[in-house]
Amino acid sequence: MSTAPAPTGERTRLSRRRILDAALRYIDEHGLDALSMHKLGAELGVKGMSLYNHVANKDDVLDGVVELLWFEVEAAAPVEDDWRQAVRSFAHALRDVVRRHPNAAPLVISQQVMPAPALRVVEAQTAAAVSHGITETRAHGLLRTLTSYALGSAYVEVSLGMGGPGCSPSVNDLLRPGIPEDLAAVAHVFCGQSDPDAQFELGLDLMLRGFASSSP
């Protein structure tokens, strides 16, 4: 929701970080397409042109929002002694960011930028794996795979509105008229047994077991 013009003292405290925080909040509430420099300025109680003292343009703002998302991943994925648990924490952190910020999360892919917190996560996770005898090349391959898996899983959950176990209430809306009853029953059982959290853990288990079994 837009705010009234800020007091003069508040305007003087305008900063890049404050602009980015406001942009993320605005996208969370109104959607990515609704964001403009004019609306962002109004959200901060300043004229849109004032923002250009701290950011280059809207694309720069969107790059900054991606950086904020990766800050959240970094904070939630500390490197642990057990490299398997470390990469699990990373995958969960990435998935959780998408679920917390579904409107902003597509920027992680569309902006095609690797901000400092993302690179620090890669560096720390790679170092943890290498310290356990895994080559850097294989560690990078695992991290890329986990990133794709975590993002993809979270996007599916968000798009289907899977906030918790089970998707059976919406199954009838997915079925085309005239579908045989036996196939409709398959759909209800298949979706009714779906637990997003358990499914995500299963995928992680399978990937990590496969990774371990294929180690040279």
Side-chain angles (χ1 to χ4, degrees):
M1 181 180 297
S2 296
T3 58
T8 302
E10 187 173 352
R11 292 193 192 113
T12 61
R13 294 195 296 271
L14 194 63
S15 66
R16 177 178 174 83
R17 179 57 188 261
R18 187 167 169 234
I19 291 170
L20 299 182
D21 285 338
L24 179 55
R25 288 195 305 270
Y26 191 92
I27 293 170
D28 282 343
E29 183 174 353
H30 302 287
L32 182 57
D33 291 340
L35 182 69
S36 69
M37 297 300 280
H38 174 75
K39 292 177 181 177
L40 184 54
E43 190 76 8
L44 288 161
V46 301
K47 293 182 178 180
M49 291 302 295
S50 300
L51 305 180
Y52 292 100
N53 293 320
H54 305 276
V55 294
N57 48 40
K58 181 180 176 180
D59 202 52
D60 187 26
V61 171
L62 297 182
D63 283 351
V65 169
V66 174
E67 185 175 26
L68 294 185
L69 297 179
W70 276 104
F71 274 132
E72 292 189 21
V73 174
E74 183 180 27
V79 175
E80 305 179 35
D81 291 337
D82 183 346
W83 70 268
R84 293 176 182 82
Q85 187 56 47
V87 295
R88 278 183 181 277
S89 296
F90 163 67
H92 277 286
L94 198 52
R95 175 185 180 232
D96 290 344
V97 161
V98 174
R99 301 206 305 178
R100 273 196 306 273
H101 305 286
N103 290 335
L107 292 171
V108 172
I109 295 176
S110 65
Q111 286 303 108
Q112 297 185 350
V113 61
M114 284 287 285
L119 295 173
R120 286 195 297 266
V121 168
V122 170
E123 181 182 45
Q125 293 286 341
T126 301
V130 169
S131 71
H132 286 79
I134 299 170
T135 67
E136 185 177 271
T137 298
R138 282 177 57 77
H140 286 167
L142 176 61
L143 288 174
R144 285 192 293 268
T145 301
L146 287 174
T147 298
S148 298
Y149 172 67
L151 290 176
S153 295
Y155 287 147
V156 169
E157 292 172 30
V158 167
S159 66
L160 294 179
M162 297 170 69
C167 61
S168 54
S170 62
V171 172
N172 288 332
D173 295 333
L174 302 176
L175 299 177
R176 296 181 62 82
I179 193 166
E181 289 186 7
D182 58 335
L183 295 182
V186 170
H188 280 279
V189 171
F190 181 75
C191 286
Q193 294 177 345
S194 175
D195 179 335
D197 294 332
Q199 185 171 306
F200 189 74
E201 286 295 335
L202 174 61
L204 287 179
D205 285 341
L206 293 174
M207 277 190 286
L208 291 176
R209 288 176 189 172
F211 181 81
S213 65
S214 65
S215 297

